[in-house]
């Protein structure tokens, strides 16, 4: 199984089988030198031998790494699974030439004010036809207009957005804002989008909120079986999403309102 994983601008690619999990050699890319060194250390701390991973110090958005710049479709690296947690609403400086970049030209460039969709499209470009991608992003990608709306609309019209998962606020050290997970596929079968509102399902901590094993298991089970539950999950047909101008704000599709007790 080929596997790619991102943290910041880190990209990990698994080439051959490694252990009982079916994960092979890991390739990573990271721009920040501190995070780059932490990523390499993280591999060793988790028992991955130095012969089983290769992490490159470079910029994902400008696609510095030679192995990812392969223009021959037959040689282009592709992955069964991609997981990414890029910096939220990162300001970037796309050039005009980037408009013709194979990663972006079919969808357009993300705005300078937020590179969220640039990270998404980078990973999505290297996803296999039968693969699955999951990326953590701020809720703004679900409803912001302009260039982001055009990218979101094309992804939806092409049937690539499979699931939208809303998570609780204050889950991360770096930010207290609520975030969402977008699950994407290149060959999605159902003509709908599954919405999961897990924002109210967490364990409150002193400094941070936490997802327990039960919370995670519920999210995964709901995703796998596409089950529907009042105020928690719902499969929404594309016609309804189109009627909402391709806005994916979770509250448009799952009601979180509670009725007042009658006095």
């Amino acid at each position: 199984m080929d596997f790619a994983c991102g943290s910041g601008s880190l990209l990990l690619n698994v080439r051959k089988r490694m252990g009982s999990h079916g994960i092979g050699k890991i390739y990573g890319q990271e721009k920040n030198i501190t995070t780059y060194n932490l990523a390499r250390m993280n591999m060793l701390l988790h028992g991955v031998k130095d012969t089983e991973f290769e992490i490159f110090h470079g910029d994902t958005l400008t696609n510095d790494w030679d192995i990812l710049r392969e223009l021959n479709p037959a040689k282009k690296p592709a992955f069964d699974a991609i997981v990414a947690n890029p910096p939220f609403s990162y300001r970037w400086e796309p050039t005009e030439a980037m408009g013709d970049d194979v990663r972006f030209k079919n969808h357009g460039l993300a705005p300078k004010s937020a590179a969220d969709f640039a990270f998404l499209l980078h990973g999505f470009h290297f996803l296999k036809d039968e693969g699955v991608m999951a990326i953590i992003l701020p809720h703004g990608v679900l409803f912001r207009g302009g260039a982001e709306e055009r990218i979101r609309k094309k992804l939806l019209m092409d049937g690539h957005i499979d699931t939208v998962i809303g998570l609780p606020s204050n889950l991360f050290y770096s930010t207290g804002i609520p975030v969402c997970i977008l699950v994407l596929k290149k060959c999605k079968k159902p003509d709908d989008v599954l919405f999961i509102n897990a924002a109210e399902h967490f364990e409150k901590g002193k400094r941070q909120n936490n997802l327990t094993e039960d919370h995670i298991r519920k999210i995964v089970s709901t995703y796998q079986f596409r089950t529907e539950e009042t105020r928690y999950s719902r499969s929404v047909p594309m016609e309804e999403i189109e009627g909402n101008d391709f806005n994916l704000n979770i509250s448009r599709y799952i009601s979180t309102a509670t009725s007042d007790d009658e006095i």
Side-chain angles (χ1 to χ4, degrees), residues 46-118:
H46 284 81
V48 183
K49 300 175 183 177
D50 56 3
T51 57
E52 295 174 329
F53 71 87
E54 178 185 343
I55 298 178
F56 179 77
H57 182 218
D59 190 333
T60 294
L61 292 178
T62 56
N63 211 21
D64 286 345
W65 206 358
D66 287 340
I67 67 169
L68 299 183
R69 296 170 68 92
E70 177 59 60
L71 297 179
N72 184 343
K75 295 181 180 180
K76 186 188 81 172
F79 313 110
D80 295 293
I82 294 176
V83 180
N85 180 14
F88 299 153
S89 299
Y90 176 75
R91 295 190 67 86
W92 69 315
E93 295 293 334
T95 62
E96 283 189 26
M98 278 189 167
D100 294 323
D101 190 301
V102 291
R103 300 170 296 164
F104 309 132
K105 67 179 182 180
N106 290 331
H107 296 82
L109 291 171
K112 293 181 179 181
S113 59
D116 300 313
F117 273 109

Side-chain angles (χ1 to χ4, degrees), residues 5 8 17-18 22 25 34 53 72 74 80 88 90 110 128 131 134 137 152 156 178 186 191 198 210 212 240 242 251:
C5 165
R17 297 188 67 82
M18 179 189 294
K25 187 168 183 178
T34 302
F53 71 87
N72 184 343
D80 295 293
F88 299 153
Y90 176 75
K128 285 185 178 180
L137 293 171
R152 184 173 63 247
L156 284 164
K186 286 195 172 178
D191 188 27
N210 302 295
T212 66
E240 184 175 343
E242 187 173 354
S251 61

